[in-house]
Amino acid sequence: MNDEFLRDALVGLTAGPKTLPGKFLWDETGSDLFDQICHNADYYPTAQETGLLPQVAADVARAVAPGVTVVEFGSGASRKIRTLLDALDSPSGYVAIDISGAYLEAAIRRLAPDYPGIAMVPVCADYSKPVQLPVSAGPGGILGFYPGTSIGNFDPRDAGLFLERARATLGPSLFLVGADGTTDPARLERAYGGADGLMAAFHRNILTRLNRECGADFDIDNFRHEVRLLPEPFRVEAHLVAIRPAIYRLGDRSIAFAASESIRTDTSHKYTADAFQAVARASGWQPRALWQADGGSFNLHLLQAEA
């Protein structure tokens, strides 16, 4: 029994409106599904980042000292890190932080043989909470790396809290962070709606996890995936919507659903460059460099934290 999952799920599903923490999307199955989503042409953030990161990696390398230790938050399949490791001057270590332990270990096993001179340290942890690094900084200090658009899973207040905690984790360091500034509704509907069904499977997998790990009895087929675009702050929300009224068991509770009642499973806030930098400054980071794709629809920010 996953006690934390059960506790957090009960809190969210007995609230109004119903929610489930997005961090529980990321078991091994969820990570595999999202990896497939990232190869879909409609999921634009991956294409934007994979196009921009190689262009700026040399600039990032010039900003850090030789022998840097790279710390990646939400490392997933540890694919993007290759671009950085290849560009950096003699990096001494790579710390990969991810909530999915099995997926993390497998990713490090694939990566390590290609970088025999770099110490590889997997850390299975919820990086939205304070994380204590199990290694000290290399001779070149620390470079934090938070790629993709995952900062958007936090609203501005929680994004600030994450950045404060990351600053405590990393200490005096540089931090390379990706952020999505896209606001085009049609583009967002295609990316997050997922006509191929993968995005729906990704979100419905959280109910499969509740059945398997917490003894729930959700009828997965009674829930459809829905995307909602909402303003102030501008964001995309993912919902699982009940098709028919139903009552399900979770732990020692009964969870009732009306027809069309939904569970919010994830949120992706969109940050313009100025908006993100304002949050960063308020959290103790100083913007040092900015690189943009598509006129600012995707941004890479290099931040600096002093001692």
Side-chain angles (χ1 to χ4, degrees):
M1 177 73 71
N2 188 327
D3 292 339
E4 180 187 5
F5 190 14
L6 176 60
R7 181 180 65 250
D8 290 356
L10 282 171
V11 169
L13 292 177
T14 55
K18 292 179 170 66
T19 64
L20 283 170
K23 66 184 180 182
F24 293 114
L25 295 166
W26 301 97
D27 67 342
E28 188 171 6
T29 299
S31 297
D32 281 334
L33 284 166
F34 192 74
D35 192 43
Q36 295 176 57
I37 289 166
C38 288
H39 289 86
N40 188 319
D42 283 335
Y43 192 74
Y44 65 86
T46 302
Q48 289 183 332
E49 184 180 37
T50 54
L52 184 60
L53 186 58
Q55 297 176 34
V56 309
D59 292 336
V60 175
R62 284 190 287 271
V64 302
V68 72
T69 295
V70 183
V71 179
E72 183 175 10
F73 295 81
S75 54
S78 292
R79 287 201 178 97
K80 298 169 186 176
I81 192 62
R82 291 177 180 270
T83 302
L84 268 188
L85 295 180
D86 290 343
L88 295 171
D89 185 355
S90 304
S92 62
Y94 169 54
V95 180
I97 305 172
D98 201 272
I99 198 169
S100 177
Y103 200 76
L104 174 64
E105 295 282 353
I108 292 297
R109 284 196 299 270
R110 290 191 299 269
L111 184 69
D114 295 334
Y115 299 93
I118 301 175
M120 301 274 171
V121 183
V123 176
C124 182
D126 176 2
Y127 63 79
S128 68
K129 299 176 181 178
V131 177
Q132 181 70 42
L133 293 183
V135 297
S136 57
I142 289 180
L143 171 65
F145 186 40
Y146 193 32
T149 60
S150 295
I151 192 71
N153 295 140
F154 302 109
D155 64 25
R157 177 183 174 277
D158 288 339
L161 289 174
F162 164 73
L163 290 171
E164 288 177 7
R165 289 167 182 156
R167 188 173 184 273
T169 295
L170 299 173
S173 58
L174 292 171
F175 196 12
L176 185 64
V177 182
D180 184 6
T182 303
T183 57
D184 175 51
R187 191 178 208 183
L188 292 169
E189 289 280 0
R190 290 193 303 271
Y192 290 90
D196 58 7
L198 287 172
M199 194 66 82
F202 174 64
H203 287 277
R204 285 162 52 156
N205 179 60
I206 200 168
L207 299 181
T208 301
R209 284 195 68 188
L210 284 170
N211 288 350
R212 182 180 66 247
E213 299 177 29
C214 301
D217 62 354
F218 288 98
D219 176 5
I220 312 302
D221 292 333
N222 190 36
F223 291 87
R224 60 179 176 82
H225 173 245
E226 181 177 291
V227 171
R228 300 175 184 175
L229 275 59
L230 299 169
E232 297 180 4
F234 187 79
R235 64 200 186 275
V236 181
E237 290 187 355
H239 288 254
L240 293 174
V241 183
I243 300 169
R244 301 175 302 278
I247 299 175
Y248 300 108
R249 295 293 301 175
L250 178 60
D252 60 356
R253 301 291 296 272
S254 295
I255 311 295
F257 286 84
S260 301
E261 187 176 7
S262 75
I263 310 167
R264 176 170 52 81
T265 53
D266 203 21
T267 305
S268 182
H269 291 81
K270 304 305 172 186
Y271 290 98
T272 64
D274 288 345
F276 177 78
Q277 289 185 352
V279 173
R281 286 191 181 94
S283 306
W285 294 92
Q286 289 302 313
R288 179 161 169 177
L290 169 66
W291 301 277
Q292 297 184 299
D294 252 1
S297 65
F298 178 79
N299 304 302
L300 280 170
H301 298 265
L302 186 63
L303 310 175
Q304 184 166 15
E306 302 293 350

